[in-house]
Amino acid sequence: MAVKIRLKRMGKIRTAIYRVVVMDSRTKRDGRAIEEIGKYDPNQEPSLIEIDTERADYWISQGAQPTEAVAALLKHYTDGTLKVAEPKKSKKDVYEAALAAAGSTSSDSSGATTPRKRAAKSAEAEAPAETTPAETAPAADTDSGSAAAESTDADADAAKA
């Protein structure tokens, strides 16, 4: 049996990804492989080449013949001329860098994000912290009916603002 080390095409129509496989030379291109020993993705920059060189050496010693494309990939992979992509930064590092670049946009560091919440927090901060028992107890309503109605309307208007 003539054994070859060749590429098995996978992926989409215009974005091919290849696996480096050991298979019988008579099988079809995408047929059943004896063993998969690596992968090759030419779409990335730089191209991704991952080959298990120990297994490739084993199969070559057993008489398997690499195709021209696989021989070129093995040459790039073993002689060290392979370009390596720089490692990606983690999402957390990117997020923290963006926060540091943005800085503090508001002078209020209370954590409120909307203008209403910010105004409410600043109003609470300006109000006296201690309350007297007279303020907490409800006042007895001794006013006439019309005066009481006016005071509740004023309270409602103040709450809306």
Side-chain angles (χ1 to χ4, degrees), residues 81-157:
T81 60
L82 183 66
K83 292 182 186 176
V84 179
E86 63 183 54
K88 290 184 177 180
K89 295 180 181 177
S90 70
K91 289 184 179 183
K92 183 178 180 182
D93 292 340
V94 172
Y95 175 73
E96 289 173 354
L99 280 179
S104 179
T105 56
S106 69
S107 61
D108 185 20
S109 62
S110 64
T113 56
T114 62
R116 284 187 180 176
K117 288 182 181 178
R118 208 173 294 131
K121 286 209 182 248
S122 64
E124 288 175 6
E126 292 173 5
E130 296 181 21
T131 58
T132 61
E135 291 177 346
T136 58
D141 190 14
T142 56
D143 291 340
S144 65
S146 62
E150 290 174 6
S151 67
T152 56
D153 289 341
D155 291 340
D157 292 337

Side-chain angles (χ1 to χ4, degrees), residues 24-143:
D24 182 16
S25 63
R26 295 170 290 191
T27 59
K28 59 183 181 177
R29 177 191 70 181
D30 300 333
R32 183 169 173 223
I34 298 171
E35 183 180 356
E36 293 181 359
I37 59 172
K39 54 183 157 179
Y40 168 57
D41 187 359
N43 302 315
Q44 296 182 8
E45 185 58 39
S47 297
L48 171 74
I49 302 172
E50 292 179 1
I51 300 174
D52 186 0
T53 54
E54 292 178 7
R55 294 305 296 166
D57 291 340
Y58 167 79
W59 280 106
I60 290 172
S61 69
Q62 295 297 316
Q65 295 294 316
T67 61
E68 291 179 18
V70 173
L73 290 176
L74 285 170
K75 181 182 175 193
H76 283 295
Y77 195 74
T78 56
D79 68 2
T81 60
L82 183 66
K83 292 182 186 176
V84 179
E86 63 183 54
K88 290 184 177 180
K89 295 180 181 177
S90 70
K91 289 184 179 183
K92 183 178 180 182
D93 292 340
V94 172
Y95 175 73
E96 289 173 354
L99 280 179
S104 179
T105 56
S106 69
S107 61
D108 185 20
S109 62
S110 64
T113 56
T114 62
R116 284 187 180 176
K117 288 182 181 178
R118 208 173 294 131
K121 286 209 182 248
S122 64
E124 288 175 6
E126 292 173 5
E130 296 181 21
T131 58
T132 61
E135 291 177 346
T136 58
D141 190 14
T142 56
D143 291 340

